[in-house]
């Protein structure tokens, strides 16, 4: 039998959620209700295609205009950047926090545990962050295991995106830094230079694709140690003459790496706080491999550092 064809005389003035079932008007209160067959089949409110474009354009470009001046820009939405964003936005709901993420999908390396395996290991006491955001885990004594890394990442991401003072611009890359001398002549990071990531990755194929800018008194750099732009800010600080040389991440040592990253999280140059695995490239600390507690704790420390700078 052919599926029912939704036919209605004048959709624009038909009551949207008033649908007929067995000849009677029915208020479809829940999504399940509307899944049942109604006379004329499942129905949507009518729309003009241009309404969709304008709904996206208006909001996105209003946001770009409004966030051209932010209070804190976080570069990189991996586990460190997202943990920083969560703590910062929760502690200071008055701050305009803008996250710039080069990938279409935020989350960095935290969608998987290690060697593409899915469980995520978090060493105590960093499990407290999991408890705070409501991520269940199995307790193994000195560490805990989240059944799938994506459960942590999707949870922290959803909480960060739900915060009214946070804006995430994904598929957008930071391709340079804004650096000004302050009143004492000290070089200070004062913002970021951005472009669509696909443009940033293609400057060698098409010249003169100039970037955009976002200014902020504090930049938190959490660009990780691998991927097409890993350790972006650390490398740029070297080429800009604000860092003598990269420390270069050292070999794996979990017990040394994790406290070094957390305790080393700091304002590495005036106006820039560095967090997560990018710091291992900046400082030359060890890598910790497939354990994520330091990313969470480092992100939280970066948030505290950003607040300290803002309030100083
Ligand atoms: O997940 P990552 O790479 O970085 P972190 O520091 O948040 O977490 C690191 C963690 O995943 C590990 O590497 C673990 C602990 N392994 C350690 C080890 O020993 O191997 O996230 C960085 C994010 C990514 O999403 C990138 O796409 C993004 O930063 N990114 C950028 N976004 C915008 N502009 C850029 N220039 C840029 N560069 C990187």
């Amino acid at each position: 039998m052919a599926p029912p064809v939704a036919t209605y005389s004048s959709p624009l003035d038909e009551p949207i959620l008033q649908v007929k079932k067995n000849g009677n008007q029915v208020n479809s209160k829940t999504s399940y209700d509307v899944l049942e067959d109604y006379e004329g089949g499942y129905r949507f409110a009518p729309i003009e295609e241009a309404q969709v474009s304008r709904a996206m354009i208006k909001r996105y470009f209003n946001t770009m205009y409004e966030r051209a001046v932010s209070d804190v820009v976080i570069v990189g939405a991996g586990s460190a950047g997202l943990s920083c964003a969560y703590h910062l936005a929760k502690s200071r709901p008055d701050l305009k926090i803008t996250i710039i993420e080069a990938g279409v999908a935020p989350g960095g390396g935290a969608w998987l545990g290690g060697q593409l395996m899915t469980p995520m290991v978090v060493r105590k006491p960093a499990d407290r962050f999991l408890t705070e955001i409501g991520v269940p885990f199995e307790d193994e004594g000195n560490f805990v295991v989240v059944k799938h890394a994506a459960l942590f990442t999707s949870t922290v991401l959803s909480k960060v995106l739900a915060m009214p003072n946070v804006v995430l611009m994904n598929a957008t890359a930071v391709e340079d830094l804004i650096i000004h001398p302050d009143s004492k002549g000290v070089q200070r990071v004062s913002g970021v230079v951005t472009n669509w990531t696909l443009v940033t990755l293609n400057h060698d194929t098409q010249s003169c694709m100039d970037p955009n800018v976002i200014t902020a008194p504090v930049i938190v750099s959490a660009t990780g140690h691998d991927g097409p732009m890993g350790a972006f800010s650390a490398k740029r600080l070297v080429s800009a003459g604000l860092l003598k040389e990269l420390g270069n991440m050292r070999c794996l040592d979990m017990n040394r790496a994790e406290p070094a990253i957390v305790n080393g999280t700091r304002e590495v140059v005036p106006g820039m706080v560095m967090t997560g695995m990018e710091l291992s490239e900046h400082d030359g600390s060890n890598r910790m491999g497939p354990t994520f507690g330091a990313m969470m704790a480092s992100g939280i420390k970066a948030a505290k550092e950003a607040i300290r700078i803002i309030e100083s």
Side-chain angles (χ1 to χ4, degrees):
M1 185 176 95
V5 175
T7 54
Y8 26 84
S9 54
S10 53
L12 289 181
D13 54 15
E14 277 258 317
I16 290 174
L17 293 183
Q18 294 297 325
V19 288
K20 290 185 177 61
K21 183 175 178 184
N22 308 325
N24 304 315
Q25 292 274 17
V26 173
N27 257 323
S28 54
K29 293 264 186 298
T30 69
S31 58
Y32 178 75
D33 283 352
V34 301
L35 285 181
E36 288 175 30
D37 286 341
Y38 286 97
E39 285 168 22
Y42 186 79
R43 312 175 56 155
F44 283 90
I47 195 162
E48 300 293 338
E49 282 77 3
Q51 286 177 287
V52 176
S53 310
R54 287 181 166 170
M56 295 187 295
I57 292 166
K58 179 174 74 173
R59 288 164 177 77
Y60 190 88
F61 288 99
N62 279 346
T63 300
M64 277 188 86
Y65 179 86
E66 192 256 332
R67 288 304 170 100
V69 179
S70 296
D71 293 311
V72 180
V73 171
I74 297 173
V75 189
S79 44
L82 290 173
S83 302
C84 174
Y86 174 86
H87 194 78
L88 191 55
K90 192 174 169 210
S91 311
R92 287 293 302 268
D94 57 310
L95 294 181
K96 295 199 305 184
I97 301 160
T98 303
I99 307 171
I100 308 290
E101 166 52 50
V104 168
W111 290 110
L112 293 164
Q115 193 167 315
L116 305 187
M117 292 179 280
T118 51
M120 172 187 264
V121 171
V122 174
R123 292 166 63 198
K124 293 180 181 176
D127 60 308
R128 295 174 190 168
F129 185 52
L130 299 176
T131 303
E132 172 168 346
I133 61 175
V135 173
F137 52 74
E138 291 170 37
D139 193 324
E140 295 266 3
N142 289 343
F143 62 91
V144 302
V145 186
V146 179
K147 70 176 183 180
H148 195 304
L151 181 54
F152 162 72
T153 305
S154 57
T155 303
V156 70
L157 187 56
S158 65
K159 292 192 179 292
V160 163
L161 289 177
M163 292 179 175
N165 57 325
V166 175
V167 161
L168 167 66
M169 293 182 172
N170 48 327
T172 305
V174 165
E175 61 180 30
D176 208 342
L177 301 174
I178 300 175
I179 295 178
H180 292 151
D182 66 13
S183 53
K184 301 184 189 93
V186 175
Q187 295 297 314
R188 183 176 195 83
V189 178
S190 312
V192 290
V193 177
T194 62
N195 223 322
W196 311 130
T197 303
L198 292 178
V199 170
T200 300
L201 296 176
N202 280 284
H203 282 309
D204 296 340
T205 61
Q206 169 72 49
S207 63
C208 300
M209 294 189 285
D210 280 353
N212 192 15
V213 294
I214 298 178
T215 60
V218 181
I219 309 299
V220 176
S221 195
T223 64
H225 68 96
D226 63 3
M229 302 175 195
F232 169 80
S233 297
K235 292 170 184 167
R236 189 53 175 134
L237 290 179
V238 172
S239 60
L242 272 74
L243 176 67
K244 187 168 174 293
E245 59 187 0
L246 278 182
N248 294 316
M249 180 177 76
R250 283 177 168 63
C251 297
L252 194 144
D253 180 334
M254 282 185 188
N255 287 301
R256 287 176 64 184
E258 293 216 273
I261 294 277
V262 179
N263 298 317
T265 299
R266 66 190 187 279
E267 184 180 19
V268 291
V269 293
M272 176 173 277
V273 176
M274 198 166 280
T275 177
M277 285 309 288
E278 182 170 15
L279 202 59
S280 67
E281 295 288 12
H282 179 280
D283 290 352
S285 44
N286 295 91
R287 66 188 304 177
M288 70 293 287
T291 170
F292 287 80
M295 301 302 105
M296 300 169 193
S298 172
I300 291 169
K301 181 149 186 241
K304 292 174 186 279
E305 278 290 283
I307 292 169
R308 177 190 61 76
I309 297 169
I310 293 251
E311 294 177 351
S312 60

